[in-house]
Amino acid sequence: MLYRKARRRRFLSGIFLSILGLAAGLCGCSIKVSDQKDQSGIREPVTFTFYNADGQEDPWTDPVARRITEATGVTLKTEYPTGRQKNDIMLMVATKEYPDLIFAKGDSNILIENGALIDMQELIEEYGPHIKALYGEEYDYLRYSKEDDSIYQLCSNKVGDEVLTTAGSAQLQWAVLKENEYAIPRTLEEYTEMIRSYMEQYPYINGQKTIGISISCTDWHWYTTLSDPAGYIANGTTDDGQWIVDEDNRVYYKHAAEGQKEYFQWLNQMYWEGILDPEFATQTHEDYLSKIASGRVLGLLDADWDIATPESSLKARGMYERTYAGLPVTIDESVTCEMLREHNLGVGWGVGISVSCKDPVRAVQFLDWMCTEEAQVMLNWGIENVNYFYDEDGLRYRTPEEIEQAATNANYAEETGVGRHSYPFPSYGNTALDSTGNHYTTNSRELIISGYNRIQREALQAWNVEMLIDIFPGREEFEKKYYSPIWAKVLPAEAKKLLDALDAAAWPGLIDCIVCAPERFDEQWEKLQNELVEAGLYEAEELMTKLIQEEAEFRKSMELENE
């Protein structure tokens, strides 16, 4: 098998890398080797350009950024999308001008297929011991495919992570739950009735008209608020992007799957009843977040990271009851919420080194330093004796004031650097312990429990549970999925082209189904299904099924071999 060949080849990597020309050939570019070979990465100052598809303006002046530069000599100059991310990537390919480091998310296949990223494996063997230590048994999964065992990217997902917090399949204000004596709505009918009843009783909140449910559909956020919840609620799935995978690893495009029609018919009903925000299809994402921050939106269908800023604003004003509980809502009792189900490590999205990189060795050494214990603690906790401390027993902790700042100050990460630079670089998850026995992250079970606010604690007492996730079906109830979450996969060009065509039909088609007159819903839904077929539905499903079944078989065999 190819991965066995790769292991044999890596034993010879020291010999290979002693010959500079061969090393340059392996990496696809001319490598500048620094005189020193220490693993710390500390050199003369260097600035690397870094394209971050999920990034924003970063002057690299916060305390953590400055410490990173002190330790490595590296400064990052971040570039980020100002329009469509795919346009940025296509422009790079057309001009052959690439930043030193690139995080392209789902568009990295374009870079790889055009030879824009180097194969890092030989450099990692020579200069990346901490990279290999961080990934451990997951390291071989970083390889691009069975046919091409190159390592083009270091994945952005956390290694050794367990779901300890979740926004669930739907969110509801704590105020609404409290009004219902913390009864847990588990079906759409129960969820809807709580919202409907609260709207009738409280038509205005803080002087503004109450909104039952709001979603955001005018840009890429349609994936997180319109598409993703449809899979969670109608099919009980975990996040596999635009796909639904059955127990036999057969793959179906989400919006042509069973249960989807009923879910969008529910949204159609919510729209015409006045529960769904009448501006959902036209409001900007900024408008959407502003409404959430006002405290007048009762229900959401979103991800926790997307609503973090308005929730911080609400908390800063003491409006904890207007923040949101993540709930295990499904379409009816026949569907089980799988939000805690375990996946294999998602390895498709990650940071790569471009063929234009001015010093690939230095870049790998920088990435390796980011995987060290020193870096991982600082990235997650900040600066010792400023953002965190150790007690007499050696337990790492944050003061109540620091915890409050992190929860309520929307600019906390920008001001302190804490948590700002870990993603999308390699990182340990919430189950991993450092050499002192402390968790690398601030999201361990114990720290999450100690950080619950007053209204969350009130709910926990009413539910008689220890953690908020305890109201969900536990991970032990589900078989592990032996493939990377599909949203994190780098799809081959043919599959990506088919998916883009399907999404191009689904995005406006689903909105049309929601806003059309109820008596025309069946007609509109049938029209959308026909458009999906014309866009290549069956070809896409067959191709994706082949890819996922092959990956699941491959990874399961590797896991058995490693036991």
Side-chain angles (χ1 to χ4, degrees):
M1 297 178 70
L2 282 175
Y3 72 90
R4 290 198 181 103
K5 293 178 184 177
R7 287 171 177 166
R8 288 199 296 271
R9 185 170 63 248
R10 289 200 301 274
F11 282 118
L12 302 176
S13 63
I15 299 173
F16 292 156
L17 278 171
S18 67
I19 306 173
L20 176 58
L22 179 56
L26 287 170
C27 292
C29 62
S30 177
I31 296 179
K32 171 187 171 185
V33 180
S34 304
D35 293 335
Q36 303 174 43
K37 282 195 175 182
D38 67 82
Q39 300 295 349
S40 68
I42 302 175
R43 301 287 190 277
E44 291 300 314
V46 63
T47 296
F48 284 128
T49 51
F50 171 41
Y51 179 83
N52 183 352
D54 272 339
Q56 55 187 353
E57 186 173 356
D58 182 0
W60 200 254
T61 55
D62 63 71
V64 171
R66 291 198 299 269
R67 290 291 182 94
I68 293 172
T69 299
E70 288 173 10
T72 66
V74 172
T75 296
L76 292 185
K77 181 180 179 182
T78 301
E79 303 169 1
Y80 55 93
T82 55
R84 290 191 62 200
Q85 165 195 311
K86 189 170 185 176
N87 292 344
D88 295 341
I89 303 302
M90 295 302 292
L91 181 61
M92 292 179 197
V93 170
T95 62
K96 303 298 182 185
E97 296 179 359
Y98 304 103
D100 298 300
L101 303 171
I102 305 177
F103 174 61
K105 298 173 65 174
D107 290 321
S108 56
N109 68 299
I110 300 172
L111 296 171
I112 293 168
E113 289 160 9
N114 284 276
L117 300 181
I118 70 170
D119 176 4
M120 290 186 279
Q121 59 180 320
E122 303 295 352
L123 288 172
I124 291 172
E125 286 297 323
E126 183 74 5
Y127 300 103
H130 300 102
I131 293 172
K132 295 191 71 175
L134 185 147
Y135 286 107
E137 292 182 354
E138 305 280 359
Y139 180 73
D140 275 320
Y141 297 143
L142 297 174
R143 304 188 182 285
Y144 185 57
S145 69
K146 290 174 67 175
E147 292 73 29
D148 179 359
D149 66 345
S150 303
I151 296 177
Y152 296 113
Q153 300 177 107
L154 301 181
C155 81
S156 58
N157 285 321
K158 295 179 182 295
V159 179
D161 211 40
E162 181 182 352
V163 180
L164 298 177
T165 61
T166 178
S169 52
Q171 303 82 47
L172 193 60
Q173 279 190 353
W174 288 107
V176 181
L177 287 173
K178 187 171 184 177
E179 189 76 16
N180 288 271
E181 299 180 343
Y182 292 106
I184 301 170
R186 296 185 180 274
T187 66
L188 275 183
E189 182 179 357
E190 294 168 350
Y191 179 75
T192 303
E193 185 49 42
M194 283 191 182
I195 293 174
R196 181 185 293 119
S197 176
Y198 196 91
M199 289 182 72
E200 291 172 354
Q201 189 169 357
Y202 304 99
Y204 290 90
I205 294 174
N206 298 329
Q208 294 180 290
K209 189 175 181 180
T210 302
I211 299 171
I213 300 170
S214 192
I215 54 181
S216 176
C217 295
T218 55
D219 60 17
W220 64 267
H221 290 90
W222 82 274
Y223 287 112
T224 54
T225 69
L226 182 66
S227 183
D228 287 350
Y232 306 151
I233 293 173
N235 305 93
T237 63
T238 52
D239 189 356
D240 268 318
Q242 295 298 84
W243 309 95
I244 290 173
V245 185
D246 69 15
E247 296 304 316
D248 296 320
N249 289 327
R250 285 206 61 83
V251 183
Y252 304 91
Y253 183 68
K254 182 187 298 177
H255 302 306
E258 183 179 349
Q260 290 288 297
K261 179 179 180 180
E262 290 75 15
Y263 175 77
F264 284 97
Q265 199 157 25
W266 169 75
L267 280 178
N268 176 273
Q269 176 191 347
M270 295 300 95
Y271 178 75
W272 285 99
E273 190 176 332
I275 291 177
L276 178 61
D277 188 346
E279 299 175 335
F280 85 91
T282 57
Q283 66 184 347
T284 66
H285 195 63
E286 290 70 25
D287 292 336
Y288 166 76
L289 296 178
S290 178
K291 289 176 181 179
I292 296 171
S294 74
R296 64 190 178 111
V297 182
L298 305 182
L300 297 174
L301 305 164
D302 206 344
D304 48 9
W305 52 264
D306 193 32
I307 62 174
T309 297
E311 281 206 299
S312 293
S313 174
L314 290 165
K315 291 172 184 176
R317 289 173 283 152
M319 298 169 63
Y320 287 92
E321 72 283 357
R322 297 298 175 192
T323 62
Y324 296 87
L327 299 169
V329 177
T330 57
I331 199 162
D332 57 39
E333 293 87 348
S334 69
V335 177
T336 302
C337 182
E338 298 185 4
M339 299 306 289
L340 303 189
R341 185 169 184 164
E342 183 182 7
H343 262 280
N344 264 51
L345 179 68
V347 296
W349 292 11
V351 175
I353 300 173
S354 82
V355 294
S356 300
C357 181
K358 61 179 68 71
D359 189 344
V361 169
R362 187 76 178 274
V364 167
Q365 289 174 321
F366 169 73
L367 294 173
D368 187 68
W369 184 85
M370 294 287 277
C371 295
T372 63
E373 180 168 311
E374 174 189 0
Q376 290 287 304
V377 172
M378 183 172 65
L379 293 172
N380 286 287
W381 289 81
I383 310 300
E384 184 178 352
N385 296 325
V386 176
N387 307 113
Y388 72 90
F389 303 85
Y390 289 96
D391 67 16
E392 58 186 14
D393 296 320
L395 182 67
R396 189 182 300 127
Y397 72 94
R398 296 182 296 170
T399 64
E401 292 77 17
E402 189 77 15
I403 294 172
E404 178 73 8
Q405 272 294 302
T408 61
N409 182 0
N411 298 317
Y412 176 80
E414 288 75 11
E415 293 171 2
T416 65
V418 179
R420 189 179 192 186
H421 306 291
S422 53
Y423 175 83
F425 296 101
S427 59
Y428 287 106
N430 54 27
T431 66
L433 302 177
D434 65 19
S435 62
T436 70
N438 284 288
H439 287 274
Y440 279 106
T441 79
T442 59
N443 294 319
S444 68
R445 182 177 295 271
E446 297 78 13
L447 292 171
I448 289 171
I449 292 172
S450 67
Y452 285 138
N453 61 51
R454 54 177 176 78
I455 198 158
Q456 291 171 327
R457 293 180 185 279
E458 194 174 308
L460 291 170
Q461 185 175 4
W463 295 338
N464 193 30
V465 297
E466 184 179 33
M467 299 189 74
L468 297 178
I469 61 169
D470 292 340
I471 65 173
F472 289 76
R475 60 186 293 182
E476 68 281 354
E477 298 183 31
F478 309 107
E479 183 181 349
K480 179 181 178 179
K481 291 194 173 186
Y482 284 94
Y483 61 87
S484 295
I486 302 180
W487 65 263
K489 288 183 65 62
V490 178
L491 298 178
E494 182 183 0
K496 189 71 165 61
K497 183 177 180 181
L498 287 167
L499 175 57
D500 288 346
L502 292 170
D503 286 348
W507 183 4
L510 293 172
I511 293 174
D512 288 343
C513 288
I514 295 171
V515 301
C516 72
E519 62 271 16
R520 292 191 58 243
F521 180 86
D522 288 342
E523 173 191 342
Q524 198 68 44
W525 185 260
E526 188 64 26
K527 179 183 178 217
L528 171 58
Q529 298 308 303
N530 290 335
E531 289 175 352
L532 293 176
V533 171
E534 291 173 4
L537 173 68
Y538 302 131
E539 298 94 321
E541 291 180 341
E542 285 304 311
L543 177 56
M544 291 301 299
T545 294
K546 182 175 183 292
L547 290 172
I548 295 304
Q549 288 182 343
E550 286 180 352
E551 182 189 350
E553 181 181 352
F554 176 64
R555 293 186 69 156
K556 192 168 187 178
S557 67
M558 286 186 66
E559 186 167 301
L560 290 173
E561 183 174 301
N562 287 331
E563 288 180 352

